[in-house]
Amino acid sequence: MAFSALPPDLRSLCRRLTSTEAEQLPILLPSLLKDVLRCQEALSKPQEVKASENSSESTVLVHKLKTRISALLASRNTQGRFVGIALAKATIETGGWECFQTSKPWVQALLSILQKKDPPAIKDLCIVTLVKIYTLMHAYPTLVREIVTPTLPTFATACLQILKPPASSKAPKIPHSLVETIFEAFSTIVPLYPTTMRQFAAKIRTEARPYIAPTISDGTINPASLSESSRRLVIRLHMTAVKGGDSTEWTKHLDGLIKTFHSTADQVFRAVQESWEPAVGPWSGQTSHKVDLDKEPQGGSTNPDQLPSWNGIYAGSERIIGLLDFIGEYLSCGTETAVTIPVSELLDVVRRISSIMPPTPGKERHQSVQMNTAVGREEKDELWTVFPDIQHAAVRLLHTMVRRLGRNFVPVAQESLEQLLRMFESSYRLPETRTLVFLLAHEILLLYGPTMAKLTVEGLSLVIKSCCRDLLGCAGQIKRPKQSVLALQDAQKKKSFSQNADAFLNIIAEDESITVSLSADHVSAAETLLSTLFSHVPQQHIPSSLRAHMLKTAILCRNKDAQVASVLHPQRDRSGRTPQVILPYLTQQFPRDESVEILRFNFRPLTTGTREDFMDVDDEQMEDGEEGNSTTNGFLFDRITEPSSAFPPGPLATAMATEAQASPPTQPVESKAEAPSPFLTQPSSEAVVTSKEHITIIEQPPTNNLLKRKNEDAGIAVSKRVEIDTTKTTISAPVPSVEAAAAAPEVPTHTPTIPTTNRSKVISHDSKNKGEDEDEDSDNESVHLNMELDTDSEDDDGDDA
């Protein structure tokens, strides 16, 4: 190979490794690793076992690199060993099989480093490198037989030796990060080599026991990531069972966890007289275990097969939360064989927690749980302090079940939703609980939301209000509550209360709002739930005031998905009308969105209401009774309908409509020909006169109508009433005779007959009230048409004479 064809990174890498002292190599490690990754072509080519004088320069450089790495692994200083481990890992990952087959000396050197008393950082990197090598070699049976099988027991023994507590108290304890690395290493290796790891399963379970469900009684603080790693490891140990017994082992361990939960709950919930009774399982039909009220709540055991001991309500609540998370981890981790999930037993666990209703101020006594009078007040207060966290863990378990079972969760979806609503009623003030409830409610509504009964939909009111309030708070649309004057006066009379002097000032703060800071996951869950409430809940079961509040939230928070879902799933009232149409608002907020454009040109509701029917519901009205709704939710695609009043009329048209209701309606007269009139601004318009006080002009609809389609008939007219006051103006104009009007050619028109509800008329002379009009003053007439016919009458008399 020519010298110019060699990668310069390989030459530079070898030169720097040989010319730099081992103590200074950690500073150059990032650039050295980058050079190794760029030498993939040279490292992955077949190489000679031993370099000779006739070997190519590429072979010589690769052999030189591997020799230098081996020397660093055997270095006496920790800096050299650290750099050697990092370079060995990068070389094996880059070179592939060509480096695998020659990596046995490196594996032995890494095992030797793992057994030394090196710093935790070196051991951590050494474990990661060995696990990477074992994982990559799993696809090559020959390498597994030659390298993995002989060295894996040594690796497991070395890791277990690290996990053992130090013999003397003066020796430093192993850091939690190294313990978590070892647990993750075992979790990765056990599914790949279960037969080899079978002999270490019992020892691994014993070492992971203190970290599964830690409590404050343990005297240490364990990170949550360490607990999760230990749980995954213990769950995957069932794969080491004899062939065919892994599923049985999995079910056996899960049943043991459920029994441990109930025994722990007997101690923690002893201050409450529970109405729950186990319905399924081997403990069904039995009452709670007898609890010694003279002793402090306690549980656990020193037995290696059970969890550590705990004392007190706080420690017991942490044990219950840890057990619930452990059960949820059983459902999340995958298994190699099919297993049977005890759904009824798991729901029984959640049912026991949801059956306990904490006492709430203002709630009747029979709605709260009954307390045990033999338990002290301090223990009861501690229970209600930790109970929201227990409810949050129960909701998290339900969410895991829904995601794991999918469509198979439908038979128990309704019962789970009822339990969720009961727990949410007492813990909705916690933001993390609301986030999880929003996610779980979304999953359940996707499963059986369209078939929900009216009573179930009404139970979602608190969830809907909380969702809307969170979204409005993040958008800064919640007004700050003001302290009333009466409250200030009452507080002034009571000298024992502290007073806010600034509250007495007449400061006008109408635009002052409250901005709530919530996490991005919380806001995303609320937005998703709001869209689901429109698309997967029967809209006829939602109270109109509550749905108006949902529409208001969607518009103010610019939630496009929720607005589109509300348009596609409208709510209809008793008369079949659709009063709440927000398509104009949606079009204004998202004028260039494709889905909005499709709706604008293809969707039109059957009938709509007036402006007063839309979004004119105050927040205080949400507590009022529910209005009756129709059971049909229809809409129209690709059909020309009557002119919709989704666009609210202007103030002038509203005032004219009010006046028109006071006057008696008359029969509209269709005009055959258009006569020029000084009162009409558009020559192509047609009009009808009903009285002398009002004139209505029919104009073409404006071109900026947001709901107008391209193929809409341009002949459909929209009525507009215009009042002309001519009390001080007299207009004289010739009026054609009836014969001339009849003889005039008939002008075709496309204007349809205007219904009386639109208050549209044509100009006509009221002949019935002619005598009465002649007695009235001309000042009271809207339009005075004075016909000068006296001269013609005198001329006719002269001719007769």
Side-chain angles (χ1 to χ4, degrees), residues 370-388:
Q370 295 182 359
M371 307 301 297
N372 191 350
T373 57
V375 179
R377 182 176 180 180
E378 294 78 6
E379 182 177 337
K380 296 177 182 178
D381 294 339
E382 292 179 357
L383 174 60
W384 301 134
T385 301
V386 301
F387 194 69

Side-chain angles (χ1 to χ4, degrees), residues 148-196:
V148 177
T149 303
T151 60
L152 187 57
T154 306
F155 170 75
T157 304
C159 291
L160 291 174
Q161 187 67 29
I162 295 175
L163 292 175
K164 287 184 177 181
S168 62
S169 59
K170 296 182 179 180
K173 295 183 179 181
I174 176 176
H176 292 307
S177 59
L178 183 56
V179 176
E180 184 176 352
T181 302
I182 294 175
F183 287 165
E184 290 292 343
F186 283 151
S187 298
T188 305
I189 293 176
V190 165
L192 299 178
Y193 309 101
T195 305
T196 307

Side-chain angles (χ1 to χ4, degrees), residues 58 147 238 284 395 426 437 507 519 541 568 665 685 696 713 772 790:
S58 175
I147 300 177
H238 78 276
S284 60
V395 175
S426 59
V437 168
I507 302 176
S519 62
H541 296 336
L568 293 176
S685 303
T696 300
D713 190 359
E772 297 177 3
D790 296 341

Side-chain angles (χ1 to χ4, degrees), residues 627-793:
E627 298 179 6
N629 298 324
S630 175
T631 58
T632 60
N633 288 323
F635 44 80
L636 207 59
F637 283 96
D638 238 358
R639 188 184 303 175
I640 300 177
T641 60
E642 296 180 359
S644 173
S645 61
F647 296 98
L652 181 60
T654 305
M656 291 295 100
T658 305
E659 292 185 12
Q661 292 178 1
S663 61
T666 59
Q667 184 69 22
V669 181
E670 186 172 349
S671 176
K672 295 295 184 180
E674 296 183 355
S677 174
F679 305 106
L680 300 180
T681 58
Q682 296 183 4
S684 60
S685 303
E686 296 181 4
V688 183
V689 173
T690 62
S691 64
K692 298 181 180 180
E693 287 79 15
H694 303 287
I695 295 178
T696 300
I697 301 175
I698 301 178
E699 300 177 350
Q700 299 297 332
T703 57
N704 57 353
N705 192 339
L706 298 178
L707 291 179
K708 183 177 179 180
R709 300 174 299 163
K710 294 182 178 180
N711 59 348
E712 186 175 0
D713 190 359
I716 299 179
V718 178
S719 64
K720 180 185 293 184
R721 181 176 299 278
V722 179
E723 181 179 355
I724 302 177
D725 187 5
T726 57
T727 56
K728 297 183 180 180
T729 305
T730 303
I731 302 176
S732 300
V735 179
S737 61
V738 179
E739 292 80 6
E746 186 172 349
V747 180
T749 178
H750 297 283
T751 303
T753 302
I754 305 172
T756 58
T757 56
N758 293 332
R759 306 295 182 186
S760 301
K761 313 297 179 182
V762 277
I763 299 176
S764 64
H765 215 58
D766 194 352
S767 58
K768 296 181 180 181
N769 299 331
K770 183 176 181 181
E772 297 177 3
D773 295 338
E774 290 177 354
D775 298 336
E776 297 176 357
D777 282 339
S778 60
D779 294 341
N780 297 328
E781 297 178 0
S782 299
V783 179
H784 178 64
L785 299 178
N786 189 9
M787 306 305 175
E788 301 293 343
L789 301 178
D790 296 341
T791 306
D792 296 339
S793 301

Side-chain angles (χ1 to χ4, degrees), residues 28 72 199 263 349 373 380 489 672 681 719:
L28 304 177
L72 290 174
Q199 55 182 328
S263 61
V349 170
T373 57
K380 296 177 182 178
Q489 293 177 355
K672 295 295 184 180
T681 58
S719 64

Side-chain angles (χ1 to χ4, degrees), residues 67 419 521 604 775:
T67 304
Q419 297 176 3
D521 295 337
R604 183 182 295 275
D775 298 336

Side-chain angles (χ1 to χ4, degrees), residues 45-49 66 92 96-105 137 140 142-143 146-147:
K45 286 184 178 180
Q47 306 291 339
E48 299 178 3
V49 179
K66 293 182 178 179
I92 291 176
W97 187 85
E98 293 297 332
C99 294
F100 290 163
Q101 62 177 350
T102 59
S103 63
K104 187 173 183 179
M137 288 184 178
Y140 306 98
T142 303
L143 298 178
E146 295 178 356
I147 300 177

